[in-house]
């Protein structure tokens, strides 16, 4: 466990917008399965004389994000040049926004699960300082690792992709809280249909960290959600060790090595004035106030509201509501299933079982719904309710459908998953009692684990095709029957 006393973390989160074309040219943003440098033009390659033309869709999406994060959208935006050289930035400057960003002063609520409160999180408010737009640079592909590479290749397909940068105040207090915040951010943005957190590189984070009021270090370009927590934990320990040895933390920019899980010094931290920001002379200021009310009406029900509604409308637990509303595809799937069958049962089977199986396979809910339709899921739950299959049979069907496809009834037949009748279960119960005299005696002397053991034996004998609850009852009944006979 990292000691997190006096820790302050602020994040700069770069979210990629789901526009069809880039921010300042008409090149396609759909580069993920393309050869390098096939989605490029004079503008996004920064060739002399090429002029930027603003993509209005990107501005609308950025405003939508800002509103969903509770920000005050500004009346006017101005694009600026941020001047620096790097091979992935062919113009020698990045077009971003400095003094006139899209929005200021937002707020995101998170449930911060601290270890002392038994997992039930306390609400924390994380302030959003600003939301601005900028273009993505290209991508450097190092031949070797970043420190040992002899050369690197550049792919400009990503150059000019619209990004929204969301900057928090240094309100986060631990790596875990940072991860929870990013999860919440991903969740909110995913609801807006302008961002897809499943896409590679969809969210990239720079983190500012200080301990005990010392200087802050910035860790650049962390590209995975897990990476953020690990990078921060490493950085906090590094800074605390410096302080303990009486040394000072220097203000610097560090690189996160994902493979080794460590941060490395890149350069002493530059200051904002080093970038010589000035208004982009090829673009005019853009008034956006008239767009705001129209876009506000497009904001859908967001995760927090949906969670509250699920709890009151479907009488499900807070934990289930949390799990079901985290991503919009899961929430929609749940509501469709719940409209056709038992809402409580649906919640448990989607939040506890289906999501667990998806995590295990590292597939998203969207991919899952291509393999298990709403109707198929409803069919599984209906068979379960009618006692046609047991819990174990239902889980088996879900796994089979995720891995190989198929239909519930066909899988029940093919794999022989239909639950056995009570007569057959009773037979197995009697057999188990006879074969496990010791356990039966233990149970009679009050050891409840012995009963669990016996239930397990019956489940094994019936290959999971008896309902554990029934087996439990049968065992108790048969054991007391034998007792009375003695
Ligand atoms: Zn282009
Ligand atoms: Mn940035």
């Amino acid at each position: 466990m990292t000691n997190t006393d006096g820790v302050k973390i602020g994040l700069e989160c770069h979210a990629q917008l789901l526009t069809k074309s880039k921010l300042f040219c008409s090149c396609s943003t759909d580069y993920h399965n393309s050869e390098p440098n096939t989605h490029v033009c004079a503008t996004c390659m920064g060739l002399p004389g090429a002029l930027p033309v603003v993509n209005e869709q990107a501005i609308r999406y950025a405003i939508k994000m800002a509103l969903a994060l509770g920000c005050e959208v500004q009346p006017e935006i101005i694009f600026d040049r941020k001047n620096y050289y790097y091979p992935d930035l062919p113009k020698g400057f990045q077009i971003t926004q400095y003094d006139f960003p899209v929005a200021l002063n937002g707020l995101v609520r998170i449930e911060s699960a601290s270890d002392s409160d038994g997992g039930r999180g306390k609400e924390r408010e994380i302030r959003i300082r600003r939301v601005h737009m900028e273009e993505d640079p290209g991508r450097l592909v190092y031949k070797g690792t970043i420190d040992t590479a002899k050369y690197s290749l550049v792919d400009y397909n990503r150059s000019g992709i619209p990004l929204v940068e969301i900057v928090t105040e240094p309100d986060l207090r631990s790596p875990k809280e940072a991860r929870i915040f990013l999860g919440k951010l991903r969740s909110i943005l995913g609801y807006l249909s302008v961002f897809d957190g499943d896409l590679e590189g969809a969210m990239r984070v720079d983190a500012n960290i200080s301990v005990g009021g010392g200087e802050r270090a910035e860790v650049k370009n962390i590209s995975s959600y897990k990476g953020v927590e690990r990078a921060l934990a490493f950085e906090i320990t590094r800074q605390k060790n410096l302080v303990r040895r009486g040394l000072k933390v220097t203000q610097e920019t560090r690189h996160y090595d994902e493979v080794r899980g460590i941060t490395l010094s890149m350069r002493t931290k530059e200051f904002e004035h080093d970038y010589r920001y000035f208004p982009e002379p090829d673009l005019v200021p853009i008034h956006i106030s008239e767009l705001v009310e129209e876009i506000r009406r497009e904001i859908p029900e967001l995760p927090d509201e949906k969670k509250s509604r699920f709890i009151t409308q479907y009488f499900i637990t807070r934990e289930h509501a949390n799990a079901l509303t985290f991503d919009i595809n899961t929430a929609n799937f749940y509501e469709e299933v719940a409209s056709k069958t038992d809402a409580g049962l649906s919640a448990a089977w989607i939040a506890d079982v289906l999501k667990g199986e998806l995590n295990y396979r590292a597939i998203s809910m969207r991919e899952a719904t291509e393999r298990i339709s709403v109707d198929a899921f409803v069919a599984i739950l209906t068979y379960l309710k009618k006692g046609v299959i047991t819990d174990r049979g239902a889980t088996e069907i879900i796994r089979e459908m995720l891995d190989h496809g198929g239909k519930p009834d066909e899988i029940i037949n093919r794999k022989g998953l239909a639950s056995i009748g009570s007569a057959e279960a009773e037979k197995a119960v009697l057999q188990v009692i006879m074969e496990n005299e010791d356990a039966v005696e233990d149970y009679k002397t009050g050891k409840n684990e012995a009963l669990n053991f016996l239930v397990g034996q019956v489940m094994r004998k019936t290959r999971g095709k008896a309902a554990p609850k029934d087996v439990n009852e049968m065992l108790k009944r048969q054991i007391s029957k034998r007792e009375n006979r003695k």
Side-chain angles (χ1 to χ4, degrees), residues 381-390 418-420 465 467:
L381 296 186
T382 309
Y383 286 136
L384 182 67
K385 270 179 80 171
K386 287 187 181 156
V388 175
I389 52 174
T390 62
S419 51
I420 54 175
K465 287 188 264 179

Side-chain angles (χ1 to χ4, degrees), residues 16 31-32 139 158 196-204 223:
Q16 186 175 321
Y31 63 85
H32 283 90
R139 197 165 72 92
R158 213 161 73 188
D196 179 0
D198 294 332
L199 273 184
E200 183 250 320
M203 175 90 82
R204 277 161 284 144
S223 60

